[in-house]
Amino acid sequence: MQILTTAAALQAHTENWRRAGQRIGLVPTMGALHEGHLQLVRAAAAECDAVVASVFVNPTQFNNPDDFRLYPRLPDADAALLAPAGCTALFLPSVAEMYPHPAIVQFDFGPLERVMEGEHRPGHFNGVATVVSKLFHLSRPHRAYFGQKDFQQVAIVRQLVSDLAFDLELVAFPTVREADGLAMSSRNRRLSAEARALAPRLYQSLQAAAELVRAGQAAPAAVQAAARAQLAAVPGLELEYIAVADADTLQPLTEWHSGRAVVLCLAAHLGGVRLIDNVVIGWFGEEVE
Ligand code: AMP
């Protein structure tokens, strides 16, 4: 596995692969890799000839300076995990390499970013779209892999690809979970033992809420209230939001619409660590993940 640290090196390598007729897979990450990331890389390796994984803690997508400062950075461990997963090149740029000057262009995804993460983390998706666009331009992947764990991010990137005509296929990969249901996340490393023991309650509350949706008896507001009540019983948990939304438009639901998938998304703080999770319920009532 090659380690590339400059934009020029990434461009040169991927351009060569393209000329040689190789199909390129891109897996953008912020590092501190776990099994969820590695499954994306393995999927890319199975479907593409060359796989670029990027590890870059992107400052422009953090609205909270402490979150940026405390975000785990483990480049050596990441490199050791990526090679056996089938990664061809690790792109590990510095902030100065990715942002030789501050970006002036701003992205606005309209209603898609006025809810959930976009509503609670102002500027977050502008930063995501900026860095993802740069990575797409530099590596020109045939396929780009993103996790459903960041459900709204997938919707935003899908819009980006469509609006700016990026010539690539977006792959949305199901959420990889710990045995107790907790969605894998780089931030889980920062949980105390106590908070880690309580963290599976997030997914449990989503599953219980999804059951209510499937049963078809409760209105969206009642589903939301039930999940809220369940999470209020978790000691030390501060719920930031729980959304019951249309899975395509991400807009909050006041009633169910037949034929439309539903997504339940939440963000919560547990022992000072911000965690997100979601569950998608298909229109026949089945869980999509
Ligand atoms: P991050 O390093 O958190 O920015 O994540 C990099 C990519 O991995 C994003 O597309 C995430 O959605 C994806 N990802 C992170 N955690 C998981 C998980 N538990 N399951 C599946 N994909 C994930």
Side-chain angles (χ1 to χ4, degrees):
M1 184 182 75
Q2 282 157 315
I3 299 185
L4 312 172
T5 57
T6 66
L10 176 62
Q11 247 169 339
H13 276 78
T14 51
E15 190 54 43
N16 278 342
W17 295 334
R18 248 189 192 260
R19 270 206 222 100
Q22 299 203 321
R23 290 181 61 75
I24 300 165
L26 172 70
V27 184
T29 83
M30 295 204 300
L33 301 179
H34 51 66
E35 183 58 24
H37 297 116
L38 296 177
Q39 289 202 20
L40 261 67
V41 173
R42 285 189 209 109
E47 295 163 1
C48 306
D49 303 306
V51 177
V52 177
S54 60
V55 168
F56 179 61
V57 184
N58 175 32
T60 64
Q61 72 187 68
F62 284 83
N63 57 316
N64 176 344
D66 281 341
D67 192 22
F68 177 64
R69 191 172 50 81
L70 295 171
Y71 201 86
R73 291 163 171 89
L74 304 158
D76 295 338
D78 290 343
L81 289 168
L82 283 168
C87 180
T88 319
L90 162 58
F91 181 49
L92 195 62
S94 65
V95 172
E97 186 67 25
M98 286 305 277
Y99 295 103
H101 55 80
I104 290 174
V105 171
Q106 300 274 315
F107 290 86
D108 182 343
F109 292 89
L112 265 190
E113 69 159 85
R114 305 269 182 272
V115 294
M116 306 184 209
E117 293 300 284
E119 181 186 359
H120 290 85
R121 302 181 69 187
H124 172 66
F125 287 119
N126 178 58
V128 168
T130 302
V131 81
V132 166
S133 299
K134 285 184 184 229
L135 292 169
F136 285 172
H137 283 304
L138 293 173
S139 61
R140 294 182 58 220
H142 296 85
R143 290 165 80 95
Y145 294 78
F146 291 84
Q148 294 263 24
K149 191 212 150 211
D150 298 275
F151 191 85
Q152 190 175 14
Q153 175 169 276
V154 172
I156 292 276
V157 174
R158 186 173 292 125
Q159 195 69 49
L160 179 76
V161 167
S162 164
D163 282 6
L164 299 188
F166 280 105
D167 184 16
L168 58 83
E169 192 181 332
L170 182 64
V171 181
F173 197 84
T175 302
V176 180
R177 299 181 180 281
E178 302 286 358
D180 60 12
L182 174 65
M184 292 192 184
S185 165
S186 303
R187 289 187 172 87
N188 292 352
R189 300 170 181 272
R190 295 186 40 225
L191 293 169
S192 65
E194 200 185 6
R196 174 64 188 83
L198 293 169
R201 305 271 284 269
L202 296 181
Y203 184 49
Q204 287 163 13
S205 73
L206 288 172
Q207 282 180 305
E211 267 315 308
L212 285 178
V213 177
R214 283 190 210 99
Q217 299 299 312
V223 170
Q224 195 181 30
R228 238 177 227 292
Q230 233 184 332
L231 290 165
V234 181
L237 184 144
E238 278 172 51
L239 184 63
E240 196 168 298
Y241 65 80
I242 170 133
V244 180
D246 183 283
D248 291 314
T249 67
L250 306 191
Q251 300 312 296
L253 293 171
T254 51
E255 58 187 343
W256 309 119
H257 300 288
S258 91
R260 312 264 324 158
V262 173
V263 66
L264 311 176
C265 294
L266 62 74
H269 296 257
L270 200 53
V273 181
R274 187 176 188 277
L275 300 174
I276 61 172
D277 202 353
N278 67 78
V279 165
V280 184
I281 304 133
W283 64 280
F284 285 116
E286 82 275 27
E287 209 171 298
V288 169
E289 317 184 73

